[in-house]
Amino acid sequence: MRKKLCSLALAAALLLAAAPHTRAAEGPLPDLGCTSAILIEKETGTVLAQLDPDRPLEPASVTKVMTLLLIMEALDSGRLALDEPVTVSANAAGMGGSQVYLKEGEQMPVQEMLKCVTVVSANDCAVALAEHLAGSETAFVDQMNQRAAELGMDKTNFVNCTGLPAPGHLTTARDISLMSRALLLEHPDIRAYTTIWMDSIRDGAFGLTNTNRLIRFYPGATGLKTGSTKGALYCMSASAERDGMELIAVVMKSPTTAQRFEDAKTLLDYGFANFALVNVWPDDPLPPVDVLLGQQAQVQPVLEDTCRLLVGKGERDQVETELVLAPNVEAPVENGQILGRLEVSVAGEPRDAINIIASQQVDRLTVPGIFNKMMQKFLLGR
């Protein structure tokens, strides 16, 4: 049964403030040294803290979160295979900045290039993969911007797939959180690469050490991507998971690399200290619902989805459910037909409602069937 991403409009109203910082009732927002930042919970997408999150800024190599998203989508759809060889073009080999020094004509499997992009932010591998997948980096960038629009990243414009400085190459902390969430939520296998601390390529001849030092030093770190240029300063999208809850902290334009990591840790610590995901279930088993004029006398109701609710840690014992269920329903009953709802409240405030549906189809009795049923009742009653 798929997880339900609960509707948290009321929760967001409690958690968000009109000021640039988002404050929660659990405690004060931590001080940050960066220009822009946001903290979200991955499963629900709820914003837990923010600092001027919609300011357009240069993302540097955090751009590669979108590059990785498109690559993972191609892998999952079968358009790309991990062992597929990629031939390096002169253009890809000529990329500056972070690289693994690919040579024109060199071949490397997708899996190795993917590792290089995630671990050491290799610009040459990013361009080689983009060209291999879309035919050219320009065509790949068009796909990046199209995907950004689909995700609601309305303040983002990508000019390249690497994050190397380019006029007009801008995004925001909020937009980065959207693509980071899509990558982690829809393609959890990316963690096999983003959690690598040290590795190598070319049969051990070239060593790799993750640019994201949180992978080594922050408990529960799962990724995601760092970036730095003269204009962007120090940026990152950092993710970590504890007690079944994964958070994403985006930091933009920190003055130093140390401050970037400190800001990310501060945001993640704040989220883990103040929030939790709780599973919501009915207090008692759902009773069967009588079916009038049905070929079966009853139908078993079930929850349409499971629900994990984001709450402040002080609210975990204040989650309550109320069952609203029809006493009976007239046939025919469709499989999945709504029979009621489970209303969820926190500290007396409505927070969510989960549909309760029929677990199977129940056909209506025919006229002969109704007659036979009446006769059976008559004979049994004698």
Side-chain angles (χ1 to χ4, degrees):
M1 187 178 293
R2 64 183 176 85
K3 294 287 185 186
K4 181 182 182 185
L5 302 183
C6 304
S7 172
L8 291 180
L10 287 169
L14 295 173
L15 298 176
L16 302 182
H21 291 58
T22 297
R23 296 182 177 271
E26 297 293 326
L29 183 75
D31 292 329
L32 302 173
C34 56
T35 297
S36 175
I38 196 167
L39 175 70
I40 70 168
E41 190 278 315
K42 181 202 69 179
E43 191 168 321
T44 64
T46 303
V47 177
L48 306 180
Q50 58 187 3
L51 169 65
D52 201 6
D54 297 311
R55 180 187 292 197
L57 294 167
E58 296 177 49
S61 283
V62 181
T63 297
K64 295 186 179 83
V65 172
M66 180 58 79
T67 302
L68 291 169
L69 177 59
L70 294 186
I71 292 167
M72 293 303 294
E73 288 177 346
L75 285 167
D76 288 353
S77 68
R79 292 181 289 120
L80 202 60
L82 287 173
D83 59 355
E84 188 173 324
V86 177
T87 302
V88 180
S89 70
N91 179 51
M95 287 295 111
S98 301
Q99 57 184 304
V100 293
Y101 305 99
L102 296 175
K103 304 296 183 183
E104 182 182 358
E106 181 179 356
Q107 285 194 329
M108 186 177 287
V110 168
Q111 184 171 12
E112 292 289 274
M113 286 197 172
L114 183 56
K115 180 167 62 177
C116 293
V117 173
T118 54
V119 177
V120 296
S121 196
N123 294 321
D124 44 5
C125 288
V127 173
L129 285 166
E131 292 175 340
H132 182 76
L133 188 58
S136 69
E137 184 183 5
T138 299
F140 187 83
V141 171
D142 287 341
Q143 294 177 14
M144 292 171 68
N145 284 313
Q146 180 181 345
R147 192 71 179 95
E150 293 169 355
L151 291 171
M153 299 167 59
D154 55 9
K155 291 183 174 61
T156 292
N157 180 63
F158 294 119
V159 177
N160 57 53
C161 68
T162 60
L164 287 168
H169 189 93
L170 298 169
T171 187
T172 67
R174 190 186 305 279
D175 284 1
I176 290 172
S177 76
L178 293 175
M179 65 179 179
S180 299
R181 178 176 181 244
L183 179 59
L184 289 168
L185 191 64
E186 299 169 14
H187 308 282
D189 289 347
I190 193 64
R191 290 174 182 80
Y193 302 93
T194 58
T195 56
I196 293 171
W197 173 240
M198 297 182 73
D199 208 323
S200 64
I201 56 172
R202 301 187 179 110
D203 297 321
F206 191 95
L208 308 173
T209 301
N210 205 319
T211 58
N212 179 7
R213 72 185 193 194
L214 297 187
I215 294 301
R216 172 80 181 274
F217 299 107
Y218 190 82
T222 57
L224 191 59
K225 192 72 200 70
T226 61
S228 62
T229 62
K230 184 178 179 180
L233 298 183
Y234 296 91
C235 313
M236 79 178 304
S237 177
S239 58
E241 184 174 8
R242 295 180 187 173
D243 299 323
M245 180 176 71
E246 191 165 19
L247 302 180
I248 300 167
V250 179
V251 172
M252 300 192 75
K253 212 163 188 176
S254 280
T256 66
T257 184
Q259 186 65 55
R260 161 181 62 185
F261 292 121
E262 192 60 34
D263 286 345
K265 288 194 297 182
T266 298
L267 284 166
L268 292 169
D269 285 347
Y270 173 77
F272 288 127
N274 290 289
F275 299 93
L277 279 173
V278 296
N279 293 311
V280 177
W281 300 99
D283 294 331
D284 300 302
L286 297 177
V289 173
D290 292 336
V291 179
L292 306 178
L293 301 177
Q295 293 187 7
Q296 294 176 214
Q298 294 180 321
V299 64
Q300 180 60 45
V302 295
L303 292 180
E304 183 177 32
D305 295 286
T306 57
C307 177
R308 280 160 52 86
L309 197 66
L310 182 68
V311 298
K313 281 198 170 178
E315 298 176 319
R316 283 183 294 187
D317 295 332
Q318 300 179 54
V319 178
E320 298 179 341
T321 61
E322 181 178 353
L323 182 62
V324 180
L325 189 61
N328 55 61
V329 62
E330 185 173 330
V333 178
E334 298 295 329
N335 186 13
Q337 181 175 324
I338 295 174
L339 303 176
R341 64 186 182 277
L342 184 70
E343 296 179 348
V344 184
S345 63
V346 180
E349 294 291 331
R351 186 68 64 87
D352 197 19
I354 308 162
N355 285 335
I356 296 172
I357 61 173
S359 60
Q360 64 185 105
Q361 177 177 315
V362 179
D363 293 328
R364 189 179 180 89
L365 284 170
T366 61
V367 173
I370 294 173
F371 178 77
N372 289 337
K373 194 168 186 178
M374 291 175 62
M375 289 298 298
Q376 288 174 4
K377 286 186 177 181
F378 173 77
L379 292 172
L380 288 173
R382 292 187 59 182

